Amino acid sequence: MINQKRLKEAFLSLVRIDSPSLQEKPVAEWIRQELENIGISCTEDGSSAQTGSNTGNLVACLPGDSSLAPLLLAAHMDTVQPCAQKRAVEVNGRIVSGGDTILGADDLAGIAILLEVCRCLQEQGTSHPPITLLFTTGEEIGLVGAKALKGDMLHADLGYVLDDAGPAGGAICHAPAHVKLNVRIAGKGAHAGVEPEKGVDAIRLFARAVDAMALGRIDEETTANFGIVQGGSAMNAVPAHLEAVGEVRSRDMEKLSRQITHMRRCFENAAKHFGGKVELEQTVLYQAVSLDEQQPVVQKLKKAAEVLNLPFCSKISGGGSDASVLNGLGIPTATLSVGYENMHTTEEYLDLREFFKAAQLVWKLVAE
């Protein structure tokens, strides 16, 4: 069974360690030492050369009953800013930050649970499937650690990422594919006060395209947005160049493709109207997650929740997590709620009751 006092102390220890994205080494060293203390060795992959982090992802393997489906359990080591010199305060069954930083329960709570489950397995000698533990870098800045993983390091038929807000029993089973769009517009420069007629305004071209474009909430599965726009060089010059960065997300790949085609045509039509040129480059950041209730990864979770009398809730997310990458690698992976709320804000808190329930749920998932 889960040792709640030890679990809480582990979380509080993690909160005291600064771990902004790409500076996760102190947390990685703490995890490595904690695992070694209970007889589990871990390997650092070579992803730091690609990600720019001061550490790689950590991978540890726990041999188990080979007749059972091998399992992957994961959490990420980085936290969003502001996270320097975090302080944890317990108030009415919650752990909150000191108010001037985030708490970091996203995702230090997930790390603490995984380590406590490992301690319990080693202490109690409970039968369990072969388990791969994964601790990633740079999740908060685009899943960069997970994307740099070599798939052959992971040996699992199904997985769970401990990285979602809300009460224990919730799990993200559906999430969109995500495509990044880089747009470059070439117009023609001219003096804005003397001969503007000779120019081709890149900003007007972009504005015309966007005005004709469906953006925001396209339907219940699809969204589109431009979040960065940079153009022009001087107040008195017709802007000759503009660059923009946008995105399209959808849980339906056909809808995703149609939306990108629509946006491309809007740019092409605007370029034809004004006489400029447009280049649109698209990059797939991650694939969609679609786990129906009949899949083993969901069935296993539902059964464990039922045993604990937890209300299982299959959730739909509009964002991505390391599970998005792991599903793309062929490992059906759900993202579990671990009891924190108000993530990415200085009002973030960890509900201890739900935190302990989430740990017990993970224990049920691994203890056969």
Side-chain angles (χ1 to χ4, degrees):
M1 296 293 289
I2 296 297
N3 183 323
Q4 294 183 0
K5 180 180 178 182
R6 185 171 60 188
L7 174 59
K8 183 173 78 170
E9 289 175 350
F11 174 71
L12 294 175
S13 295
L14 283 162
V15 170
R16 288 191 286 269
I17 305 173
D18 291 345
S19 56
S21 299
L22 305 185
Q23 297 178 49
E24 301 94 344
K25 187 173 182 178
V27 163
E29 291 178 343
W30 188 90
I31 292 170
R32 185 192 296 273
Q33 186 60 58
E34 291 296 307
L35 288 173
E36 288 179 355
N37 288 345
I38 56 176
I40 300 172
S41 61
C42 63
T43 300
E44 180 182 329
D45 70 2
S47 62
S48 59
Q50 180 177 336
T51 65
S53 173
N54 57 5
T55 184
N57 302 304
L58 298 184
V59 180
C61 297
L62 284 68
D65 186 342
S66 60
S67 68
L68 301 173
L71 185 65
L72 171 67
L73 299 173
H76 65 84
M77 296 185 286
D78 62 322
T79 61
V80 297
Q81 302 277 12
C83 61
Q85 298 181 331
K86 302 185 300 298
R87 293 177 293 120
V89 181
E90 186 171 349
V91 181
N92 297 327
R94 296 177 175 179
I95 297 179
V96 302
S97 78
D100 53 352
T101 70
I102 53 97
L103 176 64
D106 172 15
D107 193 24
L108 302 178
I111 295 173
I113 289 174
L114 292 187
L115 293 175
E116 174 60 21
V117 167
C118 288
R119 293 186 188 101
C120 291
L121 288 174
Q122 298 298 84
E123 290 171 352
Q124 299 171 31
T126 307
S127 175
H128 62 83
I131 298 171
T132 299
L133 298 173
L134 171 64
F135 303 94
T136 61
T137 63
E139 191 273 351
E140 298 289 9
I141 57 171
L143 321 179
V144 296
K147 288 177 183 177
L149 272 167
K150 293 181 173 61
D152 57 6
M153 295 189 71
L154 307 177
H155 306 286
D157 290 345
L158 63 159
Y160 301 99
V161 173
L162 282 65
D163 186 24
D164 189 38
I172 296 173
C173 296
H174 301 275
H178 190 191
V179 174
K180 178 182 179 182
L181 302 177
N182 287 93
V183 178
R184 289 178 290 275
I185 297 176
K188 183 180 179 182
H191 193 289
V194 177
E195 47 186 8
E197 304 84 1
K198 293 184 178 180
V200 175
D201 190 331
I203 293 178
R204 287 187 67 196
L205 194 161
F206 178 80
R208 185 182 181 93
V210 169
D211 186 54
M213 202 177 288
L215 292 173
R217 174 71 63 186
I218 309 303
D219 57 42
E220 72 281 358
E221 296 183 299
T222 312
T223 60
N225 183 62
F226 277 99
I228 301 174
V229 181
Q230 298 174 322
S233 58
M235 178 180 67
N236 62 349
V238 174
H241 300 282
L242 180 144
E243 295 187 359
V245 182
E247 64 168 26
V248 181
R249 304 178 191 232
S250 184
R251 302 195 306 274
D252 184 300
M253 298 308 293
E254 288 188 11
K255 291 179 179 179
L256 184 82
S257 179
R258 285 201 302 268
Q259 176 64 22
I260 294 172
T261 298
H262 159 69
M263 295 166 77
R264 186 183 295 276
R265 285 175 179 167
C266 288
F267 280 118
E268 290 172 349
N269 290 339
K272 183 177 180 181
H273 176 82
F274 286 108
K277 295 182 180 179
V278 176
E279 295 179 6
L280 190 152
E281 178 184 286
Q282 62 189 69
T283 305
V284 178
L285 299 181
Y286 49 78
Q287 300 292 339
V289 176
S290 181
L291 303 172
D292 65 59
E293 293 206 8
Q294 301 309 310
Q295 290 185 251
V297 64
V298 181
Q299 284 292 309
K300 185 179 181 70
L301 179 58
K302 286 182 66 177
K303 290 176 182 177
E306 287 171 5
V307 171
L308 297 172
N309 293 316
L310 292 176
F312 170 73
C313 177
S314 175
K315 299 197 286 186
I316 297 172
S317 174
S321 74
D322 284 343
S324 302
V325 177
L326 296 171
N327 276 278
L329 292 174
I331 303 173
T333 304
T335 302
L336 306 186
S337 301
V338 295
Y340 56 75
E341 301 286 357
N342 299 338
M343 59 186 180
H344 295 194
T345 76
T346 56
E347 287 76 45
E348 181 186 15
Y349 68 87
L350 180 66
D351 184 316
L352 286 173
R353 185 177 179 184
E354 296 301 326
F355 178 48
F356 297 149
K357 287 180 182 178
Q360 196 62 41
L361 179 60
V362 177
W363 171 253
K364 283 294 180 186
L365 288 170
V366 303
E368 299 287 342

